[in-house]
Amino acid sequence: MRNFARSNDIQRRLHEVVPGGAHTYARGADQYPEGMAPILMRGSGCRVWDCDGNEYVEYGMGLRAVTLGHGYRPVAEAAARAVADGLSFSRPTKLELLAAEDFLSLVPGADMVKFAKNGSDATTAAVRLARAVTGREVVAICEQPFFSVDDWFIGTTAMNAGIPATTSTVRFRYNDLDSLAGVLATAEVAAVVMEAATALSEPEPGYLEGVRALCDRHGTLLVFDEMITGFRWSSGGAQRVYGVTPDLSCWGKAMGNGFPISALAGKREFMELGGLRTERDRVFLLSTTHGPETGSLAAFRAVVRAYADTDPVAHMEHAGRRLADGVNKIAAELGVAEHLQVIGRPSCLIFSTRGPDGQPSQPFRTLFLQELLDRGVLGQSFVTSAAHTDTDVDVTVDACAEAAEIYRHALDRGTVEGLLRGRPVAPALRRTAAPRYIDPAERACG
């Protein structure tokens, strides 16, 4: 077992000054085994080190934002050179033009782009623009995990405290054209917002084409969320892979290899409503102080060059296939393949953890995370980067082999009791702090 004393001390202090103890819910300590949430100090490639001196092979890679590896030198150096000449100015820089031209050269069907910092900036701007274009209010979202921190989406989740009740967002099922057709037939929908694909769901033949046709028939704008698929499926996103062009698309995460940058891109006829070349009422599209800061734009341009000169997607997929094959073979040999399985697109893998009843289990997931952490593997998923080598994958597979033995033991016993140290992890978006509530009275003793 590894020592987490310093990490736990810093985590206690974080809870005193940062609500939830982290700036992203998915990064919270409640997403990791209790008392085993590393506080990281640095990273290189796919390896990270915590403040207790523990080294890990990391997966998830900055919530899927890092595809080239931590500290990828060409990106870091490009950002450093740009920042040395100034970070933020009172007028646009030439870098803004060059970055926009680079972006539009990659994305089919997009005529204009505007940069921001967070994915939610872009998706909410897309919704606002679609409402202005169509004169409608309702937004139809696909039943997929996450689109925005803003009210139009978070109001539909269990974590909706502080949000006025609204009926302006409706849902439809993925790979079910009848579901979307029913929504469009019963409501005046401004925008259909969806991921073209996810780690676990590929579009069935003709599905995305059918979505495009339904949107055209009903005068609804089609918005693709490319936060995860962009630069992980391809540098041109899912729309390039599947050959279906949305009206608007929203980008972020891997486009900066971890640098804070997002983008809204789309057809000129719509994007111009946020500009000066329209006679219609103007849309407050995106206006952010830090959207055009030079460091992230330079980092993005270096990412574009890396994708042109190398093949990061192929590297990610190679590592992912090798990892999935290795772990799934081990699970099959132990007779637990129906309970412990690596699944998903090779560049965007997750692990499925089921209990003795065959249902997804948070206690069994936590046990698996615990055993991986003890063996130097950190990750809520098995999302790879181009920096994951065969050696890194071998280390991970070996760790999974030992963790799977303990997992099998728990299945045989029908419980994780006596094996799991602390409370299980909990969903990041939930109504209450329980089941990982922290009693303020425990501050002094931790």
Side-chain angles (χ1 to χ4, degrees):
M1 291 187 293
R2 296 185 168 212
N3 188 332
F4 293 90
R6 291 181 180 176
S7 289
N8 290 336
D9 177 61
I10 293 175
Q11 185 63 72
R12 283 191 291 269
R13 291 163 59 190
L14 276 167
H15 281 298
E16 289 294 313
V17 294
V18 177
H23 284 90
T24 316
Y25 286 111
R27 290 184 169 101
D30 58 345
Q31 303 304 293
Y32 291 87
E34 208 161 19
M36 297 179 69
I39 300 296
L40 302 182
M41 300 295 288
R42 65 185 182 92
S44 178
C46 71
R47 301 279 178 140
V48 295
W49 291 262
D50 69 16
C51 61
D52 293 283
N54 300 311
E55 178 181 351
Y56 306 89
V57 180
E58 188 197 18
Y59 293 90
M61 302 304 292
L63 307 183
R64 301 183 179 90
V66 176
T67 55
L68 301 173
H70 299 300
Y72 184 75
R73 202 156 287 280
V75 172
E77 290 175 350
R81 287 193 300 270
V83 169
D85 287 332
L87 190 66
S88 184
F89 303 95
S90 298
R91 282 282 296 144
T93 64
K94 184 179 179 181
L95 185 56
E96 294 174 50
L97 170 64
L98 298 176
E101 289 175 340
D102 281 351
F103 182 92
L104 295 172
S105 72
L106 299 174
V107 181
D111 302 313
M112 304 184 82
V113 62
K114 200 157 190 182
F115 296 115
K117 280 286 164 258
N118 301 294
S120 296
D121 296 340
T123 54
T124 294
V127 166
R128 186 184 304 118
L129 181 56
R131 285 172 168 165
V133 168
T134 63
R136 304 170 183 174
E137 181 179 349
V138 177
V139 177
I141 60 173
C142 193
E143 291 183 344
Q144 293 165 326
F146 193 87
F147 291 112
S148 175
V149 301
D150 295 301
D151 289 4
W152 64 271
F153 174 73
I154 288 296
T156 70
T157 73
M159 206 168 175
N160 61 356
I163 299 173
T166 178
T167 58
S168 62
T169 301
V170 296
R171 292 178 176 268
F172 64 95
R173 293 182 297 276
Y174 186 75
N175 267 337
D176 186 343
L177 284 175
D178 289 340
S179 173
L180 178 58
V183 166
L184 294 178
T186 56
E188 291 289 311
V189 175
V192 166
V193 181
M194 65 181 296
E195 293 179 277
T198 67
L200 300 182
S201 300
E202 287 286 317
E204 295 176 355
Y207 172 67
L208 293 177
E209 292 84 353
V211 170
R212 175 74 272 179
L214 282 170
C215 288
D216 290 341
R217 188 180 310 153
H218 288 273
T220 298
L221 268 63
L222 175 58
V223 181
F224 278 173
D225 182 328
E226 296 266 21
M227 297 299 160
I228 294 172
T229 51
F231 292 89
R232 192 164 284 280
W233 267 236
S234 82
S235 58
Q239 55 194 281
R240 171 165 286 175
V241 172
Y242 304 114
V244 174
T245 302
D247 298 301
L248 304 170
S249 57
C250 306
W251 302 68
K253 292 191 183 289
M255 68 181 290
N257 197 51
F259 276 83
I261 184 169
S262 64
L264 171 65
K267 297 179 178 178
R268 186 178 307 278
E269 63 185 288
F270 307 131
M271 296 289 285
E272 284 282 23
L273 295 186
L276 295 175
R277 301 193 299 185
T278 180
E279 295 180 352
R280 293 182 55 175
D281 289 348
R282 296 173 68 206
V283 176
F284 193 91
L285 192 56
L286 278 168
S287 182
T288 58
T289 298
H290 301 298
E293 56 90 4
T294 60
S296 291
L297 292 181
F300 164 68
R301 296 200 72 212
V303 169
V304 173
R305 288 193 293 274
Y307 274 73
D309 296 340
T310 64
D311 194 349
V313 174
H315 287 291
M316 287 186 281
E317 292 183 343
H318 168 76
R321 279 191 294 269
R322 202 162 180 274
L323 177 57
D325 290 347
V327 177
N328 289 336
K329 181 181 178 183
I330 289 165
E333 290 172 348
L334 288 172
V336 298
E338 294 182 357
H339 301 271
L340 179 62
Q341 188 180 21
V342 179
I343 55 179
R345 194 177 182 92
S347 63
C348 201
L349 295 172
I350 67 169
F351 44 82
S352 170
T353 49
R354 298 178 182 272
D357 60 358
Q359 296 302 308
S361 168
Q362 296 285 42
F364 275 81
R365 171 179 170 80
T366 312
L367 178 64
F368 189 60
L369 287 169
Q370 170 187 285
E371 298 306 314
L372 290 184
L373 282 164
D374 277 342
R375 291 160 178 80
V377 176
L378 170 66
Q380 299 165 294
S381 68
F382 280 150
V383 171
T384 58
S385 74
H388 283 85
T389 66
D390 286 352
T391 298
D392 298 313
V393 172
D394 290 344
V395 167
T396 306
V397 172
D398 289 344
C400 288
E402 295 181 10
E405 290 274 7
I406 296 170
Y407 199 98
R408 168 63 190 266
H409 182 47
L411 287 171
D412 289 343
R413 297 173 59 203
T415 179
V416 300
E417 189 174 347
L419 297 171
L420 180 62
R421 307 186 291 273
R423 295 175 292 181
V425 299
L429 298 183
R430 60 187 190 275
R431 191 171 299 277
T432 65
R436 289 289 292 267
Y437 169 75
I438 299 173
D439 188 340
E442 297 177 1
R443 288 173 180 165
C445 63

